[in-house]
Amino acid sequence: MAAYGKCFDPTGARFGIPTFPWQFAPDGYATRRQLRERGLRPGGQPVAAQVMRHHRGRKAGVQVAYLYRVDRAKPVRPMTSRKWGALALAMHARRTCPQCHLTYSYCIPTSLGVCLLCAYPDTPPTTN
């Protein structure tokens, strides 16, 4: 546990909230993703703790995941027919080229803003 000493602050004196090393969080806490796997959501509760680990690729040098109390979590709201409809319209808009108005089976790249045929009109299509 000596290697994890910089990330171990169960009282929250150093980081403001209880902090544990990666994979050493006590029972009763979960990340958003873990709550979702259980069919739960944070439900407006504040962050209860965090897990931290050193990460060379990050600018700050650490990677942090926020934890929520499982006993205060609420069930996920069910998808209604209106939510499904809104999601379908949003996905249709992401797949439709604004220039040629064709709908594709993939989302239009946001880096281009248009479909590949409109972005590169001089390039002949390849056939495999």
Side-chain angles (χ1 to χ4, degrees), residues 45-69:
Q45 66 173 303
V47 174
Q50 64 184 358
V51 288
M52 183 183 294
R53 72 173 175 178
H54 293 287
H55 194 277
R56 284 185 270 159
R58 300 243 175 204
K59 188 175 183 180
V62 294
Q63 184 175 8
V64 176
Y66 296 119
L67 300 173
Y68 300 91
R69 301 256 319 253

Side-chain angles (χ1 to χ4, degrees), residues 12-37:
R14 182 174 179 196
F15 298 107
I17 59 174
T19 304
F20 304 97
W22 205 261
Q23 297 182 345
F24 284 97
D27 292 336
Y29 292 101
T31 62
R32 281 181 179 270
R33 188 171 289 178
Q34 291 168 340
L35 287 175
R36 187 64 181 209
E37 288 173 359

Side-chain angles (χ1 to χ4, degrees), residues 1-2 29 41 44-45 55 58 73 79-80 95 98 103 113 119 125-126:
M1 196 72 156
Y29 292 101
R41 61 186 170 93
Q45 66 173 303
H55 194 277
R58 300 243 175 204
M79 287 287 280
T80 63
R95 293 190 329 260
T103 302
T126 60

